[in-house]
Amino acid sequence: MRAFFTTFYLTDIDVGPDGRVTDHLHPEWANLRIISGTLPVSEIRNAAPFGGTNAIVTGPTSTAVRFTTGTSRIWGIGLLPLGWAKYVAAPANAFADRLCDPATERDFAPHCRLVDPLFGPEPDEMAELARITQHFESLSARPVPEEARIRAVHQALVDKEVASVADMAEHAGLPTHTLERVCRRHFGFPPSLLLRRQRFMRSLSQYMLDPALTWIGAIDSHYHDQAQFVREFHRFMGMSPSAYAALPHPVLAGVMRARMAAAGAPVQALHDPSKD
């Protein structure tokens, strides 16, 4: 099943009975998160705050998600574009930059039976992981539409040398109009925005993983200049680089380091499915 997921990951947050912590999720692939404990409140640009549910579907995102939570255990299932195509009937662009409750979405009905039984009376990481694995194994017979095209497009996307839509189409072996359709349906966004997101996340990850770097030292080589990077930072994170650097990152800083060690990429957007 590795080709379909970034990771299954467990985040334990302990801030005491009344504590709260706030952080920002970076632009990423789709996720299903299932929560035990304090339920988070999440905010994505141009939408009302979302909370009060023990499961959250986040479609593929091109903007930050600000969240506040308390003491909790959160299992996350990161769906790669191939995983979305296999396990979700709806086109990815229908859920792009959206937060929703899977219990209210017909396209996620098959996954609701995982939510309530996931956590037992006591924390048991291995039993919980087994329930997640068994759930998706039970759906393994589902066909994957356009599998070869999705794989080819994803490999082109994670290639650092691919800098334009024309390059991406050539590497994927697809006409530009087909690339556009495949990207919107299975990746959530047009290829031009996906390439911009990759470039931005390469830069942000460099900065987050190496505290000694300045923004200048972290900027990806495909940026023309610092001004372009600053504009893109506002586009993807909703704030300036200096404003983001001044914020605490109590959850994501640790998650990125752990993910780098376990999966070889600090963020989901940079996950290379060919290395699984």
Side-chain angles (χ1 to χ4, degrees), residues 122-274:
E122 298 293 334
D124 188 335
E125 180 178 342
M126 297 312 297
E128 293 155 6
L129 177 60
R131 291 182 192 116
I132 294 171
T133 303
Q134 290 163 7
H135 169 74
F136 287 101
E137 284 178 341
S138 73
L139 302 172
S140 62
R142 288 182 169 199
V144 183
E146 300 192 283
E147 179 171 355
R149 285 177 171 173
I150 296 170
R151 288 180 181 271
V153 169
H154 203 157
Q155 284 308 128
L157 183 62
V158 297
D159 187 332
K160 294 179 182 179
E161 300 304 313
V162 172
S164 68
V165 174
D167 289 345
M168 193 175 176
E170 181 180 353
H171 278 66
L174 296 174
T176 303
H177 68 276
T178 302
L179 174 68
E180 185 86 19
R181 180 187 59 77
V182 169
C183 284
R184 289 181 184 275
R185 177 167 183 81
H186 302 299
F187 293 70
F189 302 104
S192 57
L193 182 55
L194 290 169
L195 288 169
R196 289 169 61 195
R197 190 182 74 168
Q198 289 299 105
R199 180 178 58 188
F200 173 74
M201 290 309 303
R202 287 196 297 266
S203 305
L204 181 60
S205 297
Q206 281 279 97
Y207 178 80
M208 293 288 287
L209 289 176
D210 187 352
L213 281 179
T214 62
W215 285 118
I216 288 292
I219 291 175
D220 189 82
S221 61
H222 289 302
Y223 281 108
H224 298 303
D225 52 30
Q226 187 177 3
Q228 184 189 17
F229 173 70
V230 171
R231 290 193 297 272
E232 292 287 83
F233 208 106
H234 279 279
R235 163 63 182 83
F236 288 108
M237 295 299 294
M239 65 186 84
S240 69
S242 58
Y244 180 77
L247 293 172
H249 310 291
V251 179
L252 266 292
V255 167
M256 288 177 72
R257 289 191 295 270
R259 199 184 187 289
M260 184 68 185
V267 294
Q268 292 188 11
L270 302 183
H271 186 96
D272 185 344
S274 71

